[in-house]
């Protein structure tokens, strides 16, 4: 298990505190930034570690945001997991509590309607970017490229066309991958 | 204008209510543990259909607010429901229920996979699950695309903002903060301008229907 010195752990925590307020549209919209920070800027994790963290969080029950403590865990063990989870949730949670109490009665004012309408297409663009970054390691891996790309496309198709629960697709992906087909 | 212009749907129209913050904790733990690949649908079924703690209208109302705030949507939703029943203690109970058991499970998986990943079959399984995860996210993005149809910005401005965010992240690898603040302020301003135009058009008597 990796560890980080206390100073870098504190930096990780502070970075996640600021990210928290930017995570409009859910945890997955911050995934590209997590990738940039952990893989590109800090070099704490590789591309494959990053995709594994997202896959584990998808495979396990619970909110998708749990890929964030897994990244923290991979970089810095349990203290990293705790710093990442508390950091990413604390500011947004306090803000949400405040806004919720302030009341939803102003949702129909022009400024708030403009805010939701203006942010929506950006959120969609960010989720597409997340899908692209998750697919990227497969594009660069000639040994598994074709099987993985077919699996990605099939998953997207089944998700869009059926009501099948994701757990079955994840299980199928695990079986196909273990058999060396993807 | 939405039918709920008079404010958020009250919790009073729900048939039942949780007995205590601990009951909230248990309920949210159980629903989180069933939430493979997304908790939202399970939350709706458990809280609205099975336990009757929220009306369908109140659930949609709270979720639409949770969605536009920063932070994970289902975490924001848990906190709002908990807060409305038992104040901050309820909010804490609901969030802890939503996160604690799944956190312990996912960390246990992450810890054991480091040892298990030495086996080629396990590495292959994780690779296959990673491909499925990418497919799930791409499908979610396609579904979200459909919600933009009614956006008051119109298709061209939506495409401009969405593609701008995609290219800035996937090609230029810019930090998220620049994109949310830069493009976000642009999108906000454009949408406010569109509302002004739409309102002015609606105010003209010859266009009134």
């Amino acid at each position: 298990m990796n560890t980080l010195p206390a100073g870098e752990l504190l930096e990780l925590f502070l970075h996640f505190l600021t990210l928290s307020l930017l995570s409009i549209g859910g945890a997955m919209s911050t995934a590209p930034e997590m990738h940039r920070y952990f893989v590109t800027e800090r070099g704490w994790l590789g591309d494959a570690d990053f995709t594994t963290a997202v896959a584990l969080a998808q495979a396990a029950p619970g909110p998708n945001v749990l890929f964030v403590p897994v990244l923290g865990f991979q970089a810095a063990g349990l203290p990293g997991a705790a710093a990442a989870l508390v950091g990413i949730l604390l500011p947004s949670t306090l803000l949400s509590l405040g806004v919720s109490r302030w009341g939803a009665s102003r949702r129909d004012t022009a400024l708030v309607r403009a805010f939701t309408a203006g942010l929506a297409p950006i959120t969609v663009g960010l989720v597409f970017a997340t899908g692209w970054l998750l697919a990227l390691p497969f594009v660069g891996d000639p040994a598994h490229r074709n099987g993985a790309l077919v699996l990605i496309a099939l998953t997207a198709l089944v998700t869009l066309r059926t009501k099948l629960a994701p757990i079955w697709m994840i299980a199928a992906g695990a079986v196909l991958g273990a058999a060396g087909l993807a | 204008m939405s039918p709920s212009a008079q404010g958020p749907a009250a919790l009073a129209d729900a048939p039942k209510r949780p007995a205590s913050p601990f009951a909230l904790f248990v309920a949210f733990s159980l629903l989180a543990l069933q939430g493979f690949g997304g908790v939202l649908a399970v939350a709706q079924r458990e809280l609205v259909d099975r336990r009757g703690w929220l009306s369908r209208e109140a659930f949609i109302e709270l979720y639409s607010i949770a969605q536009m705030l920063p932070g994970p949507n289902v975490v924001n939703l848990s906190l709002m429901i908990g807060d409305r029943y038992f104040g901050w203690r309820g909010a804490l109970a609901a969030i802890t229920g939503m996160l604690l058991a799944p956190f312990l499970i996912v960390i246990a998986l992450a810890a054991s996979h480091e040892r298990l990943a030495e086996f080629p079959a396990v590495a292959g399984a994780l690779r296959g699950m990673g491909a499925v995860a990418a497919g799930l996210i791409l499908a979610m993005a396609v579904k979200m695309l459909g919600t933009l149809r009614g956006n008051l910005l119109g298709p061209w401005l939506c495409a401009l903002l969405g593609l701008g965010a995609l290219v800035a992240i996937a090609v230029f690898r810019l930090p998220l903060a620049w994109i949310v603040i830069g493009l976000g302020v642009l999108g906000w301003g454009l949408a406010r301008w569109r509302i002004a135009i739409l309102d002015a058009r609606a105010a003209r008597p010859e266009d009134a229907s």
Side-chain angles (χ1 to χ4, degrees), chain B residues 53-135:
Chain B
W53 289 351
L54 289 165
S55 69
R56 188 158 299 190
E57 290 71 25
F59 186 87
I60 292 168
E61 183 75 41
L62 289 180
Y63 186 67
S64 61
I65 304 168
Q67 218 172 8
M68 71 187 218
L69 290 167
N73 298 340
V74 290
V75 174
N76 285 340
L77 182 70
S78 312
L79 124 104
M80 286 177 182
I81 294 171
D83 182 49
R84 303 228 167 164
Y85 279 118
F86 298 109
W88 68 268
R89 291 183 314 138
L92 196 62
I95 292 187
T96 312
M98 180 62 87
L99 291 170
L100 184 61
F103 173 78
L104 295 176
I105 290 174
V106 83
I107 293 301
L109 278 176
S112 52
H113 120 265
E114 287 190 354
R115 259 168 284 141
L116 294 172
E118 289 163 19
F119 298 96
V122 175
L126 283 170
R127 200 169 48 240
M129 286 159 67
V132 170

